[in-house]
Amino acid sequence: MGMVGGSLEAFIGGVHRRAAIMDGEIELVCGAFSSNPEKSKETGKALYLPENRVYDNYEQMILQEKQLPEGERMDFVVVVTPNHVHFGPTKLALENGFHVVCDKPMTLNTAEAEEIVALVEKTGLLFCLTHNYTGYPMVKEAKHMIASGAIGNVRKVIVEYPQGWLATLVEATGNKQAAWRTDPSKSGAAGGLGDIGIHAENLAEYITGLSITQLCADLTIFVEGRLLDDDANILLRFNNGAKGILQNSQIANGEENDLNIRIYGETGGLKWRQMEPNSLLHTTNHGTRIIRTGVGSLSRESQVHTRIPAGHPEGYFEAFANLYRNFAIQLRARLEGTTADPIFDFPSAKDGLRGMKFIDTVIASNQSEQKWTDLK
């Protein structure tokens, strides 16, 4: 793989690199790690890459790598930049025959997302969007249980993603992670909604297999001087008649990354928390069953995404690595002219477009007197 973004001072680039190499399927061979060529060179050196495979910018990397012989050049591009630099390298990579893994949200706006979807469909190349929470074994188990009717038809979905790290004007203190996430020119039209809210939206639709059809949203900027939302409260309607609540916040003092979901059906419910990822609770009016990663007769979907024996926590890096492993399996099958098992799944460009349309619809609802707004 070749990486765009992810310099030594960046957070998510290091996460992607660690996740990608976990299974020995993927090797980092080149990169344009920063818009600052010196920072890119410094990062490449720290990662033990040869100098001639460390590039000044993504255009140079993609075009020069394309000239290298097969087997030597990169097979795909990983984009781990701030949101406003997702579209350019993704588009150029696809246009030059390279598969893509991109961090979320897919683009800065919906128009860009539609263009990426069209390019993926036109080229037939693989595209993975790293909604990493879909990679957890117990998320796979929950999805399988709902699809197999374990809780009956879904009636209610409550999904939350509270954080507290932006409870003050952190972006004014020199914190680069906060600065770009709260800057409309770099983050897009949404702040916390685009950063963590779309993770909640994606998780709700992924596990239930349902689609949000309408929503009623209330966005707030609580911290004076901030330009983008730091709190969201959203009512949901799903395509099967189910109702839901989605809330995300970055001003919830004391909260870390407590993404959690509760799903209630006609005959039972399911509860999962990202901060206790090895446990899935199956609830009924007769009691609660705790389902544990790697224990008992679990679905094949869960089993193929479980890495270590029961009792050992499988966390953030492992879930991320599952997406990379699945992408590698699909790509290897493509290169060998075979078909990979669809159980090795990962979020697609269409999921990315869905996320951008969700953001647009939430913003439109928040600004509307009518409130209930269709998500198409």
Side-chain angles (χ1 to χ4, degrees):
M1 71 179 189
M3 179 169 278
V4 179
S7 69
L8 294 177
E9 62 185 31
F11 159 66
I12 203 65
V15 172
H16 279 259
R17 287 192 290 269
R18 292 178 183 94
I21 67 172
M22 194 172 288
D23 291 282
E25 290 283 343
I26 296 168
E27 178 187 5
L28 177 69
V29 296
C30 64
F33 301 104
S34 172
S35 57
N36 181 327
E38 291 306 313
K39 283 187 179 180
S40 184
K41 289 182 174 66
E42 180 185 351
T43 302
K45 183 178 180 180
L47 296 173
Y48 305 104
L49 292 177
E51 289 184 8
N52 66 336
R53 302 295 288 278
V54 181
Y55 298 97
D56 290 346
N57 52 66
Y58 72 79
E59 295 94 341
Q60 184 188 65
M61 183 184 85
I62 291 169
L63 297 178
Q64 290 193 19
E65 286 289 316
K66 185 180 180 181
Q67 303 304 314
L68 297 176
E70 287 190 38
E72 183 179 342
R73 66 176 176 234
M74 63 181 179
D75 292 300
F76 68 98
V77 175
V78 180
V79 181
V80 291
T81 57
N83 302 352
H84 71 298
V85 195
H86 285 184
F87 177 71
T90 297
K91 181 175 184 287
L92 190 63
L94 292 169
E95 289 174 337
N96 284 276
F98 292 108
H99 309 275
V100 175
V101 174
C102 183
D103 203 44
K104 49 70 23 206
M106 186 165 74
T107 52
L108 193 67
N109 55 55
T110 297
E112 291 180 348
E114 288 174 337
E115 189 169 344
I116 294 303
V117 169
L119 259 177
V120 170
E121 292 176 347
K122 177 182 177 181
T123 62
L125 294 165
L126 293 179
F127 180 98
C128 170
L129 185 71
T130 52
H131 275 303
N132 56 296
Y133 302 107
T134 64
Y136 281 99
M138 288 297 95
V139 167
K140 303 292 187 184
E141 185 69 16
K143 180 177 178 65
H144 169 80
M145 290 179 67
I146 290 174
S148 61
I151 64 170
N153 290 329
V154 173
R155 291 172 168 173
K156 189 174 185 68
V157 180
I158 304 171
V159 61
E160 305 170 303
Y161 201 148
Q163 296 176 334
W165 73 294
L166 292 180
T168 60
L169 198 67
V170 179
E171 57 266 40
T173 67
N175 185 311
K176 291 187 177 181
Q177 293 297 322
W180 77 258
R181 283 176 167 82
T182 56
D183 181 348
S185 69
K186 294 181 173 62
S187 181
L193 179 69
D195 192 19
I196 57 176
I198 61 168
H199 272 311
E201 169 267 325
N202 176 262
L203 190 70
E205 293 195 331
Y206 180 77
I207 292 179
T208 64
L210 302 175
S211 297
I212 300 166
T213 57
Q214 287 185 309
L215 56 82
C216 177
D218 181 21
L219 296 180
T220 306
I221 302 174
F222 275 106
V223 177
E224 187 176 352
R226 182 161 290 153
L227 300 177
L228 294 173
D229 58 279
D230 50 29
D231 187 79
N233 298 277
I234 307 167
L235 298 177
L236 308 172
R237 291 173 177 168
F238 291 87
N239 60 332
N240 75 330
K243 302 299 175 67
I245 302 168
L246 186 155
Q247 73 95 354
N248 66 265
S249 182
Q250 294 181 312
I251 50 84
N253 270 291
E255 295 289 356
E256 299 171 13
N257 281 277
D258 194 14
L259 173 63
N260 66 88
I261 188 166
R262 288 166 280 166
I263 303 165
Y264 301 101
E266 294 173 324
T267 61
L270 294 172
K271 299 179 182 180
W272 180 79
R273 289 184 65 201
Q274 196 263 157
M275 290 176 64
E276 297 180 8
N278 276 33
S279 296
L280 173 67
L281 275 59
H282 180 198
T283 63
T284 71
N285 287 334
H286 305 290
T288 298
R289 178 169 68 108
I290 301 175
I291 304 168
R292 294 281 293 166
T293 299
V295 177
S297 181
L298 300 178
S299 66
R300 182 167 174 257
E301 287 85 349
S302 174
Q303 291 178 36
V304 301
H305 292 91
T306 300
R307 295 172 167 273
I308 45 184
H312 300 287
E314 299 213 29
Y316 186 75
F317 283 114
E318 289 84 357
F320 236 114
N322 280 337
L323 298 193
Y324 269 101
R325 188 274 312 268
N326 291 0
F327 183 82
I329 288 172
Q330 297 285 347
L331 179 51
R332 188 177 297 280
R334 179 76 63 88
L335 296 173
E336 294 175 351
T338 61
T339 301
D341 190 329
I343 201 169
F344 300 108
D345 65 336
F346 48 81
S348 68
K350 289 184 178 179
D351 293 308
L353 176 58
R354 180 74 175 166
M356 298 311 301
K357 288 185 175 181
F358 172 74
I359 290 172
D360 285 350
T361 308
V362 170
I363 293 173
S365 172
N366 181 65
Q367 295 173 346
S368 170
E369 293 297 322
Q370 180 181 339
K371 302 311 290 182
W372 281 107
T373 308
D374 292 342
L375 173 55
K376 298 178 181 179

